[in-house]
Amino acid sequence: MSASPLNITPTSSTELRSGPGAPIFEPGPHTRIRRNPVRAIAMMTWDGGPRGIFGQVVNVSLNGCLVKTESTIADGTRLAITVTVIGGPEALKFELNAVVRRRTEVSGRRAYGLEFVSETSADRELAQQLYAETSR
């Protein structure tokens, strides 16, 4: 007789099963993404969009950033973004490409989660430099 949803032998609540459909509980590395709060502004442009919009960069991770702005940007929009980190001896500019992954609110203002698009090793290095600069 084959197992079907109607004739599965019940297991105790503390017993873990293996095989297809069984939950996987394996210890692994901490998966929380580290985000650095930052004092920075962003200037963003995209095809078919306005000439350029500005926003406040709230935080930066290795893979992206969160930007507050009054403008509306659709999910999935690919952006050219210039992040200017302020507060140091001189302002540092990072020119990156990103895609809008989510919309949220921060302090009552629209904010967008942007994922950096790294097509070359130079793009990845630039994102890493931005992250390193904001971790100081």
Side-chain angles (χ1 to χ4, degrees), residues 14-124:
T14 58
E15 181 182 350
L16 291 179
R17 296 175 296 135
S18 63
I24 299 173
F25 298 99
E26 295 178 353
H30 187 59
T31 58
R32 181 133 175 102
I33 298 170
R34 180 164 162 78
R35 293 174 176 87
N36 297 330
V38 64
R39 291 188 57 211
I41 56 172
M43 198 280 291
M44 299 168 282
T45 60
W46 63 93
D47 290 341
R51 185 173 181 177
I53 62 169
F54 289 88
Q56 174 190 353
V57 181
V58 177
N59 60 47
V60 173
S61 73
L62 274 173
N63 298 320
C65 61
L66 183 65
V67 178
K68 284 194 304 189
T69 183
E70 295 298 322
S71 298
T72 301
I73 311 170
D75 283 357
T77 301
R78 189 175 168 119
L79 309 167
I81 179 171
T82 301
V83 176
T84 305
V85 179
I86 55 179
E90 60 184 61
L92 300 173
K93 291 188 178 192
F94 298 87
E95 294 183 9
L96 304 156
N97 292 309
V99 63
V100 177
R101 291 296 180 203
R102 67 183 178 96
R103 178 182 167 191
T104 187
E105 278 195 17
V106 174
S107 304
R109 287 182 55 201
R110 269 176 259 178
Y112 296 91
L114 308 180
E115 178 185 357
F116 297 138
V117 177
S118 299
E119 295 174 351
T120 66
S121 60
D123 292 342
R124 284 186 291 281

